Amino acid sequence: MQKKTKVNEKISEAKGILEKYKQGKANLEARIVEEEKAWRLQMWQGRDTETGVTPSSSAYMWNAVVNKHADMMDNYPIPALLPREESDKNEAETLTDIVPVILERTDFEETYSSALWYKLKHGTSCFGVFWDPKADGGIGDISISNIDLLRVFWDPTVSDIQKSSNLFICAAVDTEALKAEYPEADINGERITLTEYEKDDNVDRSNQSLVVDWYYKKNVDGKSVLHFCKFTGDTILYSSENDKNYSKRGYYDHGMYPVVFDTLYPEEDQVTGYGVISVTKDTQSYIDCLDALLMNYTKKATTPRWFKKKDVGINEAEFSDWSKPFVSVTGDITEERFQQITMSPMSGIYYNLLERKINELKETIGNRDVNSGGTMAGVTSGAAIATLQEAGNKTSRDAIKTSYRAYIKIIRMVVELIRQFYTTERTFRIVKPNEGEKFVSYSNKGITLQDIKGVGGNLIKDSEGMTFKRKPVFDISVKAQKTNPYSKLSQNETASNLYKMGIFNPDNAEQASIMLSMMDFEGKDEIVAKISEGQTLLGNIEQLKAEIENLKGFIAMLRGGGAGGMGGQNTPHPSASLPPSPQGEGFKSGNPVAVATKGAEKVALNNYGQTLAGRANNVKEE
């Protein structure tokens, strides 16, 4: 009974903290719910109290979010791990190959896309990087998910999530499924009290229970460790403090909360920020109201109405029915008795005001027409279009960089989970361009704590005889896996222009290297390497040509046609004193010129070099 009481006290304390955190983010939750309505084009429900008309939500703000998301997905990231010590180079190369495979197995691209939608709409997305012990048939594997901010709770006084005293992640779970997973637990089904989005249909959660994942930091033997407790109601489903494997070391060795926040527009002294909808919502509301008023006036102006005297003698039913070709009239019809109501044309200033608000929204969020595929008059070049897009994509690039910074934190957590949990070898299929596929087996053996050795290979120990150890650490570089099609077109045009300028001519290699050193474009290093290789091959071929010319002179001298004055003497045929020629395809027996020419061809290592070597074939055989 005493243990049960302590458990209840612990859960009661956690619930009190959770409720306090929930109250601290009430305004954030209300804003997110309203922004989700605006995203679904349901900002207007009923008549506007000021105008008396019912606006319909236009999609300018929606289009801004969609275009930003497309820009960011065009630059989907892939990681490269770099060693900080030379001894870790092989591990870094292997991790660079297998980490993308791990991300692919956990459907990270879909998670990344979902998180970007959330970030653009509400200003902040939350990635959860967990170890799932039930994954992969019970072996366990890494799991990455996008967590709704309405389900995450932290200390509202901190600006860094890792400085929060506690972290709560809540979920609504089917009660029967929960009982089946924890058959020995006392699960009564606690009522759901989380904030909900406004939906078109009623959602019944009476069959669900609130499950809370509680992460908290605790000092153990002078070291801060992270513990994890899962509970529902007053029942603990799991506690790392009660698990002998984690009671002292903590649930995750890295000691960090397993979440990464990605913020679009930051707010001072806050973990979260605000997004595109917050910036454009007011302007969008003015656009909707102006558009509704203009459409309302247009509707009235295009619907004919008439003044008529009571005794005008017109059959009103026939007059209002446009399908009837004739209208019965009694007496004369004059303007005094029957006159159309006319409305004055609306001033163009109102249309200009609407256009101004639309442009204001586009300029504010950087969603100009060229970013959506439109072009200015006369702009047809792919390079020009790409240049205009890049000039207008400054805000997108900035948002992409913030996502990359969050991505680096995610990869660091992934590496730490590999270091802790990959105790047995796992096989990964690695596919690289032009290399085919290969299978790699990997465990954490190479990245766990390593003994530090001194000069001569002796272990370095402290005064108590304990061996000093180091942990292999890697720097993480991120690059875009995908690029915008217009960027590809621009790069193709750049390559075409370089060709026309003679950059790929080996004779211009020195000048080309100087020019390329001043340029910056994707794939520049590879082009510089090929030009340098071509310059080297050209030098080798020129040297071989000089040797061939010398050999030709020597042969001519032996035949009696050289400067040695041997033309009138009876000299033996040169083939009698020359060494035998190599035999094989492409060689002519006894012809040293052909032999030397083929030697030049063998120097070439690729098609580019073979083209250069072809110049030697132009030497005529004697």
Side-chain angles (χ1 to χ4, degrees), residues 287-298:
I287 293 174
D288 291 341
C289 288
L290 280 169
D291 187 61
L293 289 171
L294 292 175
M295 293 302 298
N296 186 53
Y297 191 90
T298 302

Side-chain angles (χ1 to χ4, degrees), residues 407-435:
Y407 182 80
I408 289 174
K409 295 179 181 178
I410 293 171
I411 299 303
R412 285 192 184 127
M413 285 191 178
V414 169
V415 172
E416 291 303 321
L417 293 180
I418 293 173
R419 195 194 309 273
Q420 179 178 353
F421 293 104
Y422 272 40
T423 55
T424 59
E425 283 196 349
R426 300 153 187 263
T427 302
F428 300 90
R429 179 173 59 88
I430 310 299
V431 180
K432 291 185 177 181
N434 303 323
E435 294 185 14

Side-chain angles (χ1 to χ4, degrees), residues 275-416:
V276 173
I277 293 179
S278 291
V279 176
T280 58
K281 185 178 178 182
D282 288 344
T283 305
Q284 180 66 66
S285 66
Y286 282 119
I287 293 174
D288 291 341
C289 288
L290 280 169
D291 187 61
L293 289 171
L294 292 175
M295 293 302 298
N296 186 53
Y297 191 90
T298 302
K299 182 178 179 181
K300 291 178 179 179
T302 55
T303 304
R305 300 181 69 212
W306 303 81
F307 292 116
K308 76 178 186 64
K309 287 186 175 182
K310 292 184 179 181
D311 57 349
V312 71
I314 294 178
N315 189 320
E316 295 182 12
E318 293 179 351
F319 180 78
S320 59
D321 187 355
W322 288 90
S323 64
K324 295 184 178 298
F326 301 103
V327 179
S328 302
V329 179
T330 301
D332 297 332
I333 300 298
T334 64
E335 292 185 358
E336 295 180 356
R337 304 178 67 197
F338 194 74
Q339 183 178 359
Q340 185 175 359
I341 302 174
T342 59
M343 299 179 65
S344 300
M346 184 175 287
S347 173
I349 188 174
Y350 304 113
Y351 296 101
N352 293 337
L353 181 59
L354 175 61
E355 190 68 25
R356 175 184 170 186
K357 282 296 177 183
I358 293 173
N359 290 331
E360 176 188 335
L361 189 148
K362 292 180 179 179
E363 289 294 326
T364 299
I365 205 62
N367 188 39
R368 299 174 180 87
D369 291 341
V370 69
N371 300 100
S372 303
T375 60
M376 299 173 62
V379 180
T380 58
S381 169
I385 294 173
T387 301
L388 289 173
Q389 285 190 325
E390 290 303 312
N393 278 343
K394 290 185 291 186
T395 56
S396 293
R397 291 196 297 271
D398 187 49
I400 291 168
K401 287 181 179 179
T402 62
S403 292
Y404 281 6
R405 289 193 288 270
Y407 182 80
I408 289 174
K409 295 179 181 178
I410 293 171
I411 299 303
R412 285 192 184 127
M413 285 191 178
V414 169
V415 172
E416 291 303 321

Side-chain angles (χ1 to χ4, degrees), residues 93-256:
E93 293 176 352
T94 305
L95 285 172
T96 299
D97 289 338
I98 70 170
V99 166
V101 178
I102 295 173
L103 296 180
E104 183 180 352
R105 289 179 178 180
T106 192
D107 297 325
F108 180 75
E109 184 172 353
E110 181 179 351
T111 301
Y112 186 74
S113 175
S114 177
L116 289 182
W117 285 120
Y118 204 100
K119 171 184 176 179
L120 291 168
K121 291 187 293 182
H122 308 306
T124 307
S125 60
C126 177
F127 292 92
V129 187
F130 308 105
W131 177 257
D132 183 3
K134 299 178 182 178
D136 201 9
I139 300 177
D141 209 343
I142 297 168
S143 172
I144 306 176
S145 60
N146 175 40
I147 306 176
D148 189 347
L149 289 183
L150 299 184
R151 306 292 182 262
V152 188
F153 303 91
W154 63 91
D155 186 352
T157 64
V158 301
S159 58
D160 183 355
I161 190 64
Q162 298 299 334
K163 295 181 179 179
S164 179
S165 302
N166 301 269
L167 177 72
F168 299 91
I169 303 176
C170 303
V173 182
D174 184 86
T175 303
E176 295 302 320
L178 197 62
K179 290 180 179 180
E181 185 175 359
Y182 301 94
E184 298 180 358
D186 182 16
I187 299 174
N188 298 320
E190 184 178 9
R191 184 178 179 182
I192 305 299
T193 58
L194 300 175
T195 301
E196 297 285 347
Y197 294 104
E198 294 186 17
K199 299 181 179 179
D200 297 332
D201 301 319
N202 293 325
V203 178
D204 182 15
R205 296 193 182 276
S206 59
N207 62 334
Q208 294 181 332
S209 298
L210 178 65
V211 178
V212 181
D213 289 352
W214 175 27
Y215 295 90
Y216 58 95
K217 295 182 179 181
K218 188 176 181 180
N219 191 288
V220 178
D221 297 333
K223 178 183 176 182
S224 177
V225 298
L226 178 73
H227 278 295
F228 165 57
C229 178
K230 180 187 286 287
F231 66 89
T232 179
D234 293 330
T235 303
I236 293 181
L237 303 176
Y238 174 81
S239 175
S240 60
E241 282 195 82
N242 299 333
D243 190 333
K244 63 180 181 180
N245 296 322
Y246 302 106
S247 58
K248 292 186 177 182
R249 66 187 292 186
Y251 192 69
Y252 289 127
D253 288 349
H254 56 60
M256 298 180 290

